[in-house]
Amino acid sequence: MHLPDLSIAKERGKKENKYITLNENYQKVFTGQKYFLRTYGCQMNVHDSEAIRSYLEVLGYSPAEDINDANIVVLNTCAIRENAKDKVVGFLGKCKYLKKMKDNFKIVLAGCMCEQPDFIKEVQTKYNYVDIVIGTHNIHDLPKLLLQDLDTQKIEVYSNSDEVIEGIKYKRDSEITAWVNIQLGCDKFCTYCIVPYTRGRERSRKKESIIEEVKHLVNHGYKEVALLGQNVNAYGKDINEKFSDLLEGVAKTGIERVRFVTSHPWNFTDEMIDVISKYPNIMPYIHLPIQSGSDKILKKMNRRYTKEEYLELFSKMKERIPNVAITTDIIVGFPGETEEDFEETLDIVNKCQFDGAYTFVFSPRIGTPASLMKDDTPINIKEERLHRLNELVNKYSKLNNQKLLNKVVEVLVLGVSEKDNNKVYGYTDTMKLVNIKGSKEIIGSIIKVKITDAKSFSLDGEYIK
Ligand code: 5AD
Ligand code: SF4
């Protein structure tokens, strides 16, 4: 048993990264058995689930469409807000029932919730029917644990690892667009955020390994890579590399589209802006969380920039990167946020007119400084602020989308539309979702599309042959 320890996350020190290359072979001992994998949370978790799936399939498991047909269920959990936890706990109830009904049914918990000591205590008591718990640093231990005798609960969670694991095999969701981890963890310690504790200190992968991975993807027909990091543009600070050089290297592999998420305003340099504007295959799309428009709240959040500094960076990007789309994240109801502070947030939304924004009500996370701050704004006021903010955000998303009406844009087609079988869907270079009348043959191509309708969250278009 190895338990998580939030306090270790604070001991940042100057430890060197340990690069470990896996080279493991497993036998297909579970052939004929099925797995059901459910993922909660961010892109990092989505990509981690691609590793989990690969490990399960290497051991012989095949995917089950329906959880009732599964022999094993894996929940890759998210800890970012309380409602993410509620969903996992709700689903665990269903798993408990299945375990009672079926012989030899296994339950595995992975992901960020498993890095929280308080949750682990609950797993040991309330959810003691869970078979295996692994953390975010040791997904590669899953096969070894599955091959052990599971008479007793196995909890193997490590905190703040210095390791950078290479050689993880991914069973990717798409054959067209691929997530590529470039950096793990976060050293920013925004006061509301659990990520530095659940994902450990900032560690960058070696540039050569990343470029090799992208070249491999190009050779296998991938059209797009999305470089992933909690603070993607802080890439390289720990190993004397620069994100701008990495971006350039990735663009030169010949991949048709390069994206990257998520950027922190504090780390965004002019060199990065130059590289993005220089290479046509680096997409003009930047997700740049602002979190609040009030300097007082930004300071309490430990965001390291002021409203003015954000606006300066925003304008620079708009000036220098042709046709760039910028989206953001915003939290309302942070402890101490007054109506005036909230109005500063509305003001920055009016000034930036974002292409889109993910908006959240502050959710206190155990172990973070903000969870201890005095918070006397009633929840109904917070929700009302969220509602007002969303109305404004949606207005600008729609206005930005409407600017594309009757224009011809390039779309990378990713699949058949879920709502209508006669349509396919894809994304513009600026990451706008487009539904297009057309058949499956165009999936995987970058096509020209004339935009015929614009809503807040999507566009409709016609394929121009
Ligand atoms: N409460 C509400 N929103 C949060 N986020 C991160 N932590 C919290 C929290 N405790 C939001 C931030 C971040 C996004 C991924 O989630 O806006 O950018
Ligand atoms: Fe969390 Fe801030 Fe790090 Fe983003 S930059 S992961 S919000 S601590």
Side-chain angles (χ1 to χ4, degrees), residues 80-81 192-194 262 287 289 291 303 329-331 358 360-365:
I80 198 101
R81 281 171 293 276
Y192 50 82
C193 188
I194 196 71
T262 287
H287 184 62
Q291 311 297 4
R303 286 295 289 179
D329 289 346
I330 301 170
I331 298 176
Y358 298 93
F360 314 98
V361 171
F362 167 71
S363 170
R365 312 314 294 135

PDB file of all heavy atoms in Angstrom, residues 80-81 192-194 262 287 289 291 303 329-331 358 360-365, ligand 1:
ATOM      1  N   ILE A  80     -11.154  18.580  -9.782  1.00  0.00           N
ATOM      2  CA  ILE A  80     -11.033  20.025  -9.937  1.00  0.00           C
ATOM      3  C   ILE A  80     -12.151  20.796  -9.217  1.00  0.00           C
ATOM      4  O   ILE A  80     -11.910  21.855  -8.667  1.00  0.00           O
ATOM      5  CB  ILE A  80     -10.911  20.425 -11.426  1.00  0.00           C
ATOM      6  CG1 ILE A  80     -10.343  21.837 -11.578  1.00  0.00           C
ATOM      7  CG2 ILE A  80     -12.202  20.319 -12.196  1.00  0.00           C
ATOM      8  CD1 ILE A  80      -8.919  21.893 -11.919  1.00  0.00           C
ATOM      9  N   ARG A  81     -13.359  20.234  -9.256  1.00  0.00           N
ATOM     10  CA  ARG A  81     -14.478  20.871  -8.551  1.00  0.00           C
ATOM     11  C   ARG A  81     -15.305  19.785  -7.868  1.00  0.00           C
ATOM     12  O   ARG A  81     -15.266  18.623  -8.282  1.00  0.00           O
ATOM     13  CB  ARG A  81     -15.373  21.663  -9.534  1.00  0.00           C
ATOM     14  CG  ARG A  81     -14.800  23.011  -9.927  1.00  0.00           C
ATOM     15  CD  ARG A  81     -15.591  23.648 -11.048  1.00  0.00           C
ATOM     16  NE  ARG A  81     -15.444  22.877 -12.268  1.00  0.00           N
ATOM     17  CZ  ARG A  81     -14.435  23.006 -13.125  1.00  0.00           C
ATOM     18  NH1 ARG A  81     -13.508  23.896 -12.923  1.00  0.00           N
ATOM     19  NH2 ARG A  81     -14.355  22.237 -14.196  1.00  0.00           N
ATOM     20  N   TYR A 192      -6.782  28.508  -5.585  1.00  0.00           N
ATOM     21  CA  TYR A 192      -8.023  27.713  -5.630  1.00  0.00           C
ATOM     22  C   TYR A 192      -7.793  26.306  -6.165  1.00  0.00           C
ATOM     23  O   TYR A 192      -8.673  25.467  -6.113  1.00  0.00           O
ATOM     24  CB  TYR A 192      -9.065  28.400  -6.549  1.00  0.00           C
ATOM     25  CG  TYR A 192      -8.487  28.765  -7.903  1.00  0.00           C
ATOM     26  CD1 TYR A 192      -8.390  27.819  -8.902  1.00  0.00           C
ATOM     27  CD2 TYR A 192      -8.000  30.041  -8.140  1.00  0.00           C
ATOM     28  CE1 TYR A 192      -7.814  28.133 -10.122  1.00  0.00           C
ATOM     29  CE2 TYR A 192      -7.433  30.370  -9.355  1.00  0.00           C
ATOM     30  CZ  TYR A 192      -7.333  29.402 -10.337  1.00  0.00           C
ATOM     31  OH  TYR A 192      -6.756  29.704 -11.535  1.00  0.00           O
ATOM     32  N   CYS A 193      -6.595  26.045  -6.708  1.00  0.00           N
ATOM     33  CA  CYS A 193      -6.463  24.900  -7.611  1.00  0.00           C
ATOM     34  C   CYS A 193      -5.798  23.691  -6.964  1.00  0.00           C
ATOM     35  O   CYS A 193      -4.771  23.799  -6.289  1.00  0.00           O
ATOM     36  CB  CYS A 193      -5.666  25.334  -8.835  1.00  0.00           C
ATOM     37  SG  CYS A 193      -5.645  24.067 -10.105  1.00  0.00           S
ATOM     38  N   ILE A 194      -6.367  22.531  -7.208  1.00  0.00           N
ATOM     39  CA  ILE A 194      -5.880  21.285  -6.616  1.00  0.00           C
ATOM     40  C   ILE A 194      -4.797  20.624  -7.487  1.00  0.00           C
ATOM     41  O   ILE A 194      -4.063  19.741  -7.038  1.00  0.00           O
ATOM     42  CB  ILE A 194      -7.096  20.324  -6.380  1.00  0.00           C
ATOM     43  CG1 ILE A 194      -6.746  19.168  -5.423  1.00  0.00           C
ATOM     44  CG2 ILE A 194      -7.645  19.770  -7.682  1.00  0.00           C
ATOM     45  CD1 ILE A 194      -6.575  19.563  -4.011  1.00  0.00           C
ATOM     46  N   THR A 262      -2.915  23.964 -22.014  1.00  0.00           N
ATOM     47  CA  THR A 262      -3.495  25.269 -21.778  1.00  0.00           C
ATOM     48  C   THR A 262      -2.373  26.257 -21.481  1.00  0.00           C
ATOM     49  O   THR A 262      -1.428  25.897 -20.783  1.00  0.00           O
ATOM     50  CB  THR A 262      -4.430  25.181 -20.562  1.00  0.00           C
ATOM     51  OG1 THR A 262      -5.599  24.488 -20.938  1.00  0.00           O
ATOM     52  CG2 THR A 262      -4.855  26.524 -20.030  1.00  0.00           C
ATOM     53  N   HIS A 287      -5.956  29.184 -25.920  1.00  0.00           N
ATOM     54  CA  HIS A 287      -6.810  29.162 -24.731  1.00  0.00           C
ATOM     55  C   HIS A 287      -6.008  29.816 -23.605  1.00  0.00           C
ATOM     56  O   HIS A 287      -4.957  29.310 -23.205  1.00  0.00           O
ATOM     57  CB  HIS A 287      -7.187  27.726 -24.374  1.00  0.00           C
ATOM     58  CG  HIS A 287      -8.139  27.665 -23.226  1.00  0.00           C
ATOM     59  ND1 HIS A 287      -9.400  28.223 -23.295  1.00  0.00           N
ATOM     60  CD2 HIS A 287      -8.027  27.145 -21.979  1.00  0.00           C
ATOM     61  CE1 HIS A 287     -10.013  28.045 -22.139  1.00  0.00           C
ATOM     62  NE2 HIS A 287      -9.204  27.397 -21.329  1.00  0.00           N
ATOM     63  N   PRO A 289      -6.597  31.306 -20.015  1.00  0.00           N
ATOM     64  CA  PRO A 289      -7.459  31.577 -18.862  1.00  0.00           C
ATOM     65  C   PRO A 289      -7.160  32.916 -18.180  1.00  0.00           C
ATOM     66  O   PRO A 289      -6.007  33.218 -17.898  1.00  0.00           O
ATOM     67  CB  PRO A 289      -7.162  30.406 -17.920  1.00  0.00           C
ATOM     68  CG  PRO A 289      -6.738  29.309 -18.836  1.00  0.00           C
ATOM     69  CD  PRO A 289      -5.962  29.988 -19.923  1.00  0.00           C
ATOM     70  N   GLN A 291      -9.494  33.988 -15.493  1.00  0.00           N
ATOM     71  CA  GLN A 291     -10.032  33.635 -14.149  1.00  0.00           C
ATOM     72  C   GLN A 291     -10.829  34.753 -13.495  1.00  0.00           C
ATOM     73  O   GLN A 291     -11.886  34.503 -12.949  1.00  0.00           O
ATOM     74  CB  GLN A 291      -8.942  33.137 -13.188  1.00  0.00           C
ATOM     75  CG  GLN A 291      -8.008  32.059 -13.743  1.00  0.00           C
ATOM     76  CD  GLN A 291      -8.677  30.749 -14.114  1.00  0.00           C
ATOM     77  OE1 GLN A 291      -9.884  30.602 -14.052  1.00  0.00           O
ATOM     78  NE2 GLN A 291      -7.901  29.784 -14.565  1.00  0.00           N
ATOM     79  N   ARG A 303      -2.476  34.689  -9.342  1.00  0.00           N
ATOM     80  CA  ARG A 303      -2.378  34.476 -10.794  1.00  0.00           C
ATOM     81  C   ARG A 303      -1.154  35.161 -11.421  1.00  0.00           C
ATOM     82  O   ARG A 303      -0.844  34.967 -12.577  1.00  0.00           O
ATOM     83  CB  ARG A 303      -3.659  34.967 -11.483  1.00  0.00           C
ATOM     84  CG  ARG A 303      -4.835  34.059 -11.290  1.00  0.00           C
ATOM     85  CD  ARG A 303      -4.632  32.712 -11.931  1.00  0.00           C
ATOM     86  NE  ARG A 303      -4.672  32.731 -13.376  1.00  0.00           N
ATOM     87  CZ  ARG A 303      -4.493  31.667 -14.146  1.00  0.00           C
ATOM     88  NH1 ARG A 303      -4.221  30.489 -13.612  1.00  0.00           N
ATOM     89  NH2 ARG A 303      -4.549  31.765 -15.462  1.00  0.00           N
ATOM     90  N   ASP A 329     -10.911  30.858 -19.410  1.00  0.00           N
ATOM     91  CA  ASP A 329     -11.617  30.262 -18.261  1.00  0.00           C
ATOM     92  C   ASP A 329     -11.870  31.372 -17.250  1.00  0.00           C
ATOM     93  O   ASP A 329     -10.990  32.225 -17.036  1.00  0.00           O
ATOM     94  CB  ASP A 329     -10.737  29.226 -17.539  1.00  0.00           C
ATOM     95  CG  ASP A 329     -10.529  27.941 -18.320  1.00  0.00           C
ATOM     96  OD1 ASP A 329     -11.259  27.722 -19.301  1.00  0.00           O
ATOM     97  OD2 ASP A 329      -9.628  27.175 -17.937  1.00  0.00           O
ATOM     98  N   ILE A 330     -13.038  31.339 -16.628  1.00  0.00           N
ATOM     99  CA  ILE A 330     -13.375  32.361 -15.629  1.00  0.00           C
ATOM    100  C   ILE A 330     -14.029  31.693 -14.420  1.00  0.00           C
ATOM    101  O   ILE A 330     -14.911  30.837 -14.572  1.00  0.00           O
ATOM    102  CB  ILE A 330     -14.344  33.415 -16.220  1.00  0.00           C
ATOM    103  CG1 ILE A 330     -13.717  34.093 -17.450  1.00  0.00           C
ATOM    104  CG2 ILE A 330     -14.738  34.460 -15.156  1.00  0.00           C
ATOM    105  CD1 ILE A 330     -14.666  34.965 -18.237  1.00  0.00           C
ATOM    106  N   ILE A 331     -13.589  32.106 -13.233  1.00  0.00           N
ATOM    107  CA  ILE A 331     -14.229  31.625 -11.987  1.00  0.00           C
ATOM    108  C   ILE A 331     -15.015  32.781 -11.385  1.00  0.00           C
ATOM    109  O   ILE A 331     -14.481  33.891 -11.265  1.00  0.00           O
ATOM    110  CB  ILE A 331     -13.159  31.158 -10.978  1.00  0.00           C
ATOM    111  CG1 ILE A 331     -12.363  29.975 -11.547  1.00  0.00           C
ATOM    112  CG2 ILE A 331     -13.796  30.773  -9.645  1.00  0.00           C
ATOM    113  CD1 ILE A 331     -11.212  29.510 -10.660  1.00  0.00           C
ATOM    114  N   TYR A 358     -15.022  29.077 -20.708  1.00  0.00           N
ATOM    115  CA  TYR A 358     -15.520  28.085 -19.762  1.00  0.00           C
ATOM    116  C   TYR A 358     -15.664  28.815 -18.428  1.00  0.00           C
ATOM    117  O   TYR A 358     -14.709  29.445 -17.961  1.00  0.00           O
ATOM    118  CB  TYR A 358     -14.546  26.919 -19.622  1.00  0.00           C
ATOM    119  CG  TYR A 358     -14.342  26.175 -20.922  1.00  0.00           C
ATOM    120  CD1 TYR A 358     -13.296  26.507 -21.776  1.00  0.00           C
ATOM    121  CD2 TYR A 358     -15.226  25.175 -21.300  1.00  0.00           C
ATOM    122  CE1 TYR A 358     -13.123  25.848 -22.982  1.00  0.00           C
ATOM    123  CE2 TYR A 358     -15.063  24.507 -22.510  1.00  0.00           C
ATOM    124  CZ  TYR A 358     -14.012  24.856 -23.333  1.00  0.00           C
ATOM    125  OH  TYR A 358     -13.850  24.202 -24.530  1.00  0.00           O
ATOM    126  N   PHE A 360     -17.049  28.943 -14.320  1.00  0.00           N
ATOM    127  CA  PHE A 360     -17.272  28.082 -13.166  1.00  0.00           C
ATOM    128  C   PHE A 360     -17.585  28.906 -11.926  1.00  0.00           C
ATOM    129  O   PHE A 360     -17.092  30.029 -11.796  1.00  0.00           O
ATOM    130  CB  PHE A 360     -16.007  27.269 -12.853  1.00  0.00           C
ATOM    131  CG  PHE A 360     -15.377  26.640 -14.068  1.00  0.00           C
ATOM    132  CD1 PHE A 360     -14.298  27.255 -14.690  1.00  0.00           C
ATOM    133  CD2 PHE A 360     -15.869  25.454 -14.589  1.00  0.00           C
ATOM    134  CE1 PHE A 360     -13.707  26.687 -15.818  1.00  0.00           C
ATOM    135  CE2 PHE A 360     -15.290  24.883 -15.712  1.00  0.00           C
ATOM    136  CZ  PHE A 360     -14.205  25.503 -16.327  1.00  0.00           C
ATOM    137  N   VAL A 361     -18.368  28.291 -11.024  1.00  0.00           N
ATOM    138  CA  VAL A 361     -18.508  28.871  -9.686  1.00  0.00           C
ATOM    139  C   VAL A 361     -17.370  28.295  -8.844  1.00  0.00           C
ATOM    140  O   VAL A 361     -17.066  27.098  -8.933  1.00  0.00           O
ATOM    141  CB  VAL A 361     -19.875  28.513  -9.063  1.00  0.00           C
ATOM    142  CG1 VAL A 361     -19.920  28.927  -7.598  1.00  0.00           C
ATOM    143  CG2 VAL A 361     -21.009  29.164  -9.823  1.00  0.00           C
ATOM    144  N   PHE A 362     -16.719  29.135  -8.052  1.00  0.00           N
ATOM    145  CA  PHE A 362     -15.625  28.687  -7.184  1.00  0.00           C
ATOM    146  C   PHE A 362     -16.055  27.498  -6.338  1.00  0.00           C
ATOM    147  O   PHE A 362     -17.126  27.504  -5.740  1.00  0.00           O
ATOM    148  CB  PHE A 362     -15.189  29.843  -6.270  1.00  0.00           C
ATOM    149  CG  PHE A 362     -14.296  29.395  -5.157  1.00  0.00           C
ATOM    150  CD1 PHE A 362     -12.995  29.001  -5.418  1.00  0.00           C
ATOM    151  CD2 PHE A 362     -14.754  29.353  -3.841  1.00  0.00           C
ATOM    152  CE1 PHE A 362     -12.167  28.571  -4.384  1.00  0.00           C
ATOM    153  CE2 PHE A 362     -13.932  28.926  -2.809  1.00  0.00           C
ATOM    154  CZ  PHE A 362     -12.628  28.533  -3.091  1.00  0.00           C
ATOM    155  N   SER A 363     -15.206  26.487  -6.326  1.00  0.00           N
ATOM    156  CA  SER A 363     -15.493  25.300  -5.529  1.00  0.00           C
ATOM    157  C   SER A 363     -14.301  25.057  -4.596  1.00  0.00           C
ATOM    158  O   SER A 363     -13.189  24.840  -5.064  1.00  0.00           O
ATOM    159  CB  SER A 363     -15.694  24.119  -6.512  1.00  0.00           C
ATOM    160  OG  SER A 363     -15.748  22.903  -5.848  1.00  0.00           O
ATOM    161  N   PRO A 364     -14.498  25.166  -3.268  1.00  0.00           N
ATOM    162  CA  PRO A 364     -13.358  25.013  -2.359  1.00  0.00           C
ATOM    163  C   PRO A 364     -12.798  23.599  -2.390  1.00  0.00           C
ATOM    164  O   PRO A 364     -13.564  22.632  -2.290  1.00  0.00           O
ATOM    165  CB  PRO A 364     -13.949  25.341  -0.984  1.00  0.00           C
ATOM    166  CG  PRO A 364     -15.423  25.401  -1.157  1.00  0.00           C
ATOM    167  CD  PRO A 364     -15.773  25.396  -2.597  1.00  0.00           C
ATOM    168  N   ARG A 365     -11.481  23.470  -2.563  1.00  0.00           N
ATOM    169  CA  ARG A 365     -10.844  22.151  -2.578  1.00  0.00           C
ATOM    170  C   ARG A 365      -9.998  21.981  -1.321  1.00  0.00           C
ATOM    171  O   ARG A 365      -9.133  22.837  -1.039  1.00  0.00           O
ATOM    172  CB  ARG A 365      -9.927  21.962  -3.817  1.00  0.00           C
ATOM    173  CG  ARG A 365     -10.488  22.329  -5.139  1.00  0.00           C
ATOM    174  CD  ARG A 365     -11.895  21.824  -5.439  1.00  0.00           C
ATOM    175  NE  ARG A 365     -12.085  20.395  -5.559  1.00  0.00           N
ATOM    176  CZ  ARG A 365     -13.108  19.751  -4.972  1.00  0.00           C
ATOM    177  NH1 ARG A 365     -13.980  20.396  -4.220  1.00  0.00           N
ATOM    178  NH2 ARG A 365     -13.248  18.452  -5.148  1.00  0.00           N
TER     179      ARG A 365
HETATM  180  N1  5AD B   1     -13.246  26.083  -8.444  1.00  0.00           N
HETATM  181  C1  5AD B   1     -13.781  26.489  -9.618  1.00  0.00           C
HETATM  182  N2  5AD B   1     -13.120  26.419 -10.791  1.00  0.00           N
HETATM  183  C2  5AD B   1     -11.858  25.936 -10.762  1.00  0.00           C
HETATM  184  N3  5AD B   1     -10.951  25.760 -11.745  1.00  0.00           N
HETATM  185  C3  5AD B   1      -9.833  25.242 -11.206  1.00  0.00           C
HETATM  186  N4  5AD B   1      -9.998  25.067  -9.884  1.00  0.00           N
HETATM  187  C4  5AD B   1     -11.238  25.501  -9.573  1.00  0.00           C
HETATM  188  C5  5AD B   1     -11.988  25.595  -8.370  1.00  0.00           C
HETATM  189  N5  5AD B   1     -11.480  25.225  -7.208  1.00  0.00           N
HETATM  190  C6  5AD B   1     -11.188  26.144 -13.139  1.00  0.00           C
HETATM  191  C7  5AD B   1     -10.191  27.195 -13.610  1.00  0.00           C
HETATM  192  C8  5AD B   1      -9.271  26.428 -14.491  1.00  0.00           C
HETATM  193  C9  5AD B   1     -10.194  25.376 -15.057  1.00  0.00           C
HETATM  194  C10 5AD B   1      -9.524  24.195 -15.638  1.00  0.00           C
HETATM  195  O1  5AD B   1     -10.989  25.008 -13.962  1.00  0.00           O
HETATM  196  O2  5AD B   1     -10.907  28.164 -14.349  1.00  0.00           O
HETATM  197  O3  5AD B   1      -8.672  27.211 -15.503  1.00  0.00           O
END
